[in-house]
């Protein structure tokens, strides 16, 4: 289902809400069918909306099975845009809570870059890249 996102900030707010509600359809509506994603979790790369849908479905299933409510916050958001292209970079923090007790389970912050394209008066994400800085001694991602 296509939705109309007239402002880049609408895309970010819908992303936040869709993840908290575990709403696959709404989350996928943010992305162009030819989406290309570089991710720092499980799949290194997703090409096309069906590949991304498979990743999101697995992610949301795991959240449901673990009774996890995931809240998303955006920090240090920078948006540069023209009439048809936008570039966003920010820090995105995912905080997991146990749905019944409200106890915080985990938290991680990733660096994100989004490339968006405007077509028929609506913004869509055409490229997404998430990353973590690397600890050179251990070779592992730094999560805070």
């Amino acid at each position: 289902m296509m939705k109309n996102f007239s402002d880049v900030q609408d895309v970010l707010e819908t992303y936040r809400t869709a993840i908290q509600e575990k709403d696959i359809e709404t989350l996928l509506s943010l992305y162009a069918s030819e989406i290309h994603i570089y991710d720092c979790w499980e799949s290194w790369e997703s090409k096309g909306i069906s590949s991304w849908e498979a990743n999101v479905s697995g992610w949301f299933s795991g959240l449901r099975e673990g009774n996890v409510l995931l809240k998303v916050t955006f920090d240090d958001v920078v948006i540069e845009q023209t009439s048809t292209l936008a570039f966003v970079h920010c820090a995105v923090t995912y905080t997991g809570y146990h749905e019944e007790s409200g106890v915080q389970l985990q938290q991680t912050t990733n660096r994100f870059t989004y490339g968006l394209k405007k077509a028929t008066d609506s913004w869509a994400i055409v490229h997404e890249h998430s990353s973590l800085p690397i600890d050179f001694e251990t070779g592992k991602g730094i999560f805070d």
Side-chain angles (χ1 to χ4, degrees):
M1 178 171 115
M2 288 301 290
K3 297 187 180 193
N4 189 349
F5 303 103
S6 60
D7 188 80
V8 172
Q9 196 65 45
D10 293 341
V11 173
L12 299 178
E13 181 59 26
T14 302
Y15 178 95
R16 185 192 66 73
T17 302
I19 290 173
Q20 183 170 321
E21 295 174 359
K22 300 177 197 97
D23 182 343
I24 293 171
E25 183 178 324
T26 297
L27 186 65
L28 293 176
S29 74
L30 299 170
Y31 296 88
S33 61
E34 69 278 3
I35 184 64
H36 193 165
I37 296 175
Y38 294 126
D39 203 353
C40 57
W41 299 99
E42 295 198 27
S43 283
W44 170 263
E45 176 179 43
S46 295
K47 288 184 179 180
I49 198 70
S50 60
S51 173
W52 185 231
E53 181 176 16
N55 287 348
V56 171
S57 293
W59 180 27
F60 285 2
S61 289
L63 292 173
R64 282 187 194 94
E65 289 169 12
N67 294 317
V68 176
L69 170 66
L70 199 57
K71 293 195 177 183
V72 176
T73 56
F74 291 92
D75 294 298
D76 305 321
V77 177
V78 175
I79 300 172
E80 297 285 337
Q81 71 183 70
T82 66
S83 61
T84 58
L85 294 174
F87 178 80
V88 178
H89 60 89
C90 56
V92 182
T93 300
Y94 300 88
T95 307
Y97 297 90
H98 189 267
E99 285 188 292
E100 284 86 35
S101 70
V103 171
Q104 182 176 325
L105 303 171
Q106 73 255 356
Q107 180 173 306
T108 188
T109 300
N110 293 25
R111 301 176 297 190
F112 268 82
T113 303
Y114 299 97
L116 297 94
K117 188 174 182 180
K118 193 171 197 179
T120 60
D121 296 323
S122 186
W123 290 101
I125 301 169
V126 295
H127 181 70
E128 177 178 300
H129 187 132
S130 68
S131 67
L132 298 166
I134 301 298
D135 180 320
F136 287 110
E137 290 182 23
T138 65
K140 295 182 179 184
I142 301 170
F143 288 89
D144 56 12

